[in-house]
Amino acid sequence: RRAAPPVAVQSPLESLRAPLQTAAATLFSLGLAAQLTAAPLPASADITKADIIAAEERWGDGIVRVGEIYSKGGDYKSAAKILVDLMYGYDQGPVLFKPTKAAEKEFRVTPGEAYSYFVTGQEVEDKGFAIHPWSKVRFDNKQFLLKGDTAAAMGNYYFT
């Protein structure tokens, strides 16, 4: 077993670059590369409105793509796992995720619980939100809060 090389201290955004680039090859094989791979991250850790919009678009495109893979009989479970791993950041710290259609288990604090919501599995109430044949996700943001490397957006999203 090899020891991991020492890791230099990086900004929170910079630390995501390598995992996204490494995952791109796997995503490509699942047909998700165009939807989820990000543009190069800025040198600054400040999150912009454009960064939020780009992340929303990648998330929406990823949800649509998981449904497409499911409809074609492909490996939708791997696609959904990659979507959760890349877009939710459970490996970065606590995640605040309250799925839209969840009622019995309202909050999903682990990757497995999030994954279950998208493709069924761990929670009885989960019907596979991401395997629905969505064709588009549109965001209608009402407000953005930008504070350096922390940001939030509030609004609605529409699935068709």
Side-chain angles (χ1 to χ4, degrees):
R1 191 163 130 142
R2 294 181 185 162
V7 178
V9 175
Q10 302 171 333
S11 75
L13 286 178
E14 186 64 27
S15 68
L16 295 176
R17 182 186 308 274
L20 286 173
Q21 290 172 341
T22 302
T26 304
L27 291 171
F28 182 78
S29 70
L30 295 171
L32 284 170
Q35 285 75 23
L36 294 180
T37 53
L41 295 171
S44 166
D46 288 354
I47 298 172
T48 67
K49 181 178 171 182
D51 293 330
I52 293 172
I53 292 169
E56 289 172 338
E57 289 174 358
R58 285 191 308 275
W59 180 86
D61 290 346
I63 294 290
V64 169
R65 187 67 180 135
V66 169
E68 289 172 351
I69 292 169
Y70 174 79
S71 296
K72 294 176 181 175
D75 188 1
Y76 68 95
K77 290 184 177 184
S78 290
K81 183 178 183 322
I82 290 169
L83 177 70
V84 168
D85 290 349
L86 287 177
M87 298 303 296
Y88 283 80
Y90 283 97
D91 62 333
Q92 302 292 311
V95 173
L96 307 175
F97 177 38
K98 197 281 185 205
T100 304
K101 295 185 176 188
E104 295 170 26
K105 179 141 186 166
E106 290 183 89
F107 301 97
R108 305 304 170 91
V109 298
T110 69
E113 292 168 346
Y115 174 73
S116 176
Y117 176 71
F118 288 119
V119 296
T120 75
Q122 186 172 322
E123 304 300 328
V124 175
E125 73 177 310
D126 295 338
K127 305 298 182 219
F129 182 80
I131 61 177
H132 183 84
W134 305 113
S135 60
K136 179 80 176 149
V137 180
R138 180 177 61 87
F139 287 84
D140 180 20
N141 292 305
K142 298 301 179 195
Q143 191 63 262
F144 296 89
L145 300 175
L146 307 171
K147 299 287 183 191
D149 66 353
T150 301
M154 182 59 72
N156 294 303
Y157 49 45
Y158 303 93
F159 290 81
T160 55

